[in-house]
Amino acid sequence: AQKVTQAQTEISVVEKEDVTLDCVYETRDTTYYLFWYKQPPSGELVFLIRRNSFDEQNEISGRYSWNFQKSTSSFNFTITASQVVDSAVYFCALMSLSSGNTPLVFGKGTRLSVIA
Amino acid sequence: DVKVTQSSRYLVKRTGEKVFLECVQDMDHENMFWYRQDPGLGLRLIYFSYDVKMKEKGDIPEGYSVSREKKERFSLILESASTNQTSMYLCASSPPGLAGVHEQFFGPGTRLTVL
């Protein structure tokens, strides 16, 4: 079975702090994809990144970085020097080839509040 | 600019009513999805479609049906709305290929309240 766990329900940080959002996944497949989406207060989910299981290179995009570790089945997301505009709900998601009825399995999300 | 639109941002219906939620995408995507989002439960897949007139059940299809008569439009139907279907409904689409592999583009959501 496929599963995504985002243990942090809510996080609150002060602007300019760094923050890491955790994502732990479960799958028996060797080929799978991991995603992060951002849902700002407007409601529309926005794609941030996709990673396949064969590419463990970490990725950096501006203030955002992702750490993919197959050994711990984790795909954590770090925001450096957080800003108020980063306040949103962030979802981690998993797609395995043997996903069954659900092509993409989402975690329950982490609500990040960045306080000025 | 790619776009997924949903017919209403907010909708209030009575128990027992038949409810139609419409979703339109302008990206010529084969795959379309309907999710519901509830606090503490994240996003759960209701139905998805990988082609016109094709549909697959997701995790929570009970009480819902879908229609995809045209490639760009995917409708979610609540045959007889109940209060436990009060939720945020999100539509998404993605390019052709195995559903879930590609980035999904989401609409703004419809917040449905059933009284």
Side-chain angles (χ1 to χ4, degrees):
Chain A
Q2 283 64 235
K3 187 177 178 183
V4 175
T5 301
Q6 294 180 256
Q8 304 147 310
T9 307
E10 293 191 34
I11 301 175
S12 187
V13 299
V14 176
E15 205 171 21
K16 297 183 184 175
E17 282 185 0
D18 298 348
V19 59
T20 295
L21 309 183
D22 297 333
C23 173
V24 173
Y25 62 92
E26 293 176 29
T27 179
R28 292 181 180 174
D29 284 328
T30 56
T31 302
Y32 52 89
Y33 297 83
L34 294 162
F35 299 78
W36 275 95
Y37 284 85
K38 174 183 180 180
Q39 186 179 38
S42 61
E44 191 168 321
L45 270 82
V46 175
F47 167 82
L48 295 178
I49 190 171
R50 182 185 78 162
R51 245 328 172 229
N52 74 56
S53 52
F54 299 109
D55 183 1
E56 283 193 78
Q57 258 194 324
N58 291 331
E59 175 125 355
I60 298 174
S61 177
R63 296 183 297 106
Y64 293 174
S65 62
W66 291 269
N67 181 262
F68 177 27
Q69 291 198 340
K70 287 174 79 169
S71 59
T72 55
S73 297
S74 65
F75 187 42
N76 296 338
F77 173 32
T78 297
I79 302 175
T80 303
S82 60
Q83 300 176 1
V84 172
V85 293
D86 296 327
S87 296
V89 181
Y90 291 87
F91 291 96
C92 181
L94 165 70
M95 185 275 178
S96 290
L97 291 185
S98 59
S99 292
N101 285 346
T102 307
L104 193 61
V105 175
F106 283 86
K108 294 182 179 179
T110 297
R111 181 178 298 278
L112 173 65
S113 298
V114 181
I115 303 162
Chain B
D1 201 17
V2 296
K3 224 164 173 59
V4 177
T5 56
Q6 296 183 229
S7 48
S8 308
R9 288 302 301 267
Y10 300 94
L11 208 52
V12 179
K13 295 293 181 180
R14 297 276 180 201
T15 301
E17 278 193 75
K18 190 168 186 175
V19 181
F20 292 86
L21 303 183
E22 306 286 347
C23 175
V24 178
Q25 50 93 6
D26 64 0
M27 296 165 279
D28 203 35
H29 284 167
E30 266 74 7
N31 298 312
M32 295 189 74
F33 309 83
W34 274 107
Y35 296 91
R36 66 176 278 177
Q37 182 179 8
D38 301 287
L41 296 178
L43 274 72
R44 293 179 292 167
L45 183 66
I46 305 171
Y47 270 97
F48 69 98
S49 168
Y50 52 88
D51 203 349
V52 175
K53 296 192 187 295
M54 306 304 286
K55 61 186 179 185
E56 292 282 346
K57 292 180 180 179
D59 284 335
I60 51 165
E62 297 78 19
Y64 303 95
S65 61
V66 290
S67 171
R68 187 140 181 231
E69 297 296 319
K70 293 185 178 181
K71 191 176 186 180
E72 68 270 18
R73 187 180 296 270
F74 191 35
S75 303
L76 180 69
I77 303 155
L78 287 65
E79 296 289 341
S80 178
S82 63
T83 53
N84 62 14
Q85 292 178 309
T86 292
S87 186
M88 171 72 91
Y89 290 88
L90 295 168
C91 175
S93 71
S94 71
L98 203 58
V101 167
H102 299 290
E103 166 192 355
Q104 292 184 19
F105 295 83
F106 282 82
T110 296
R111 186 166 293 282
L112 172 68
T113 301
V114 182
L115 301 175

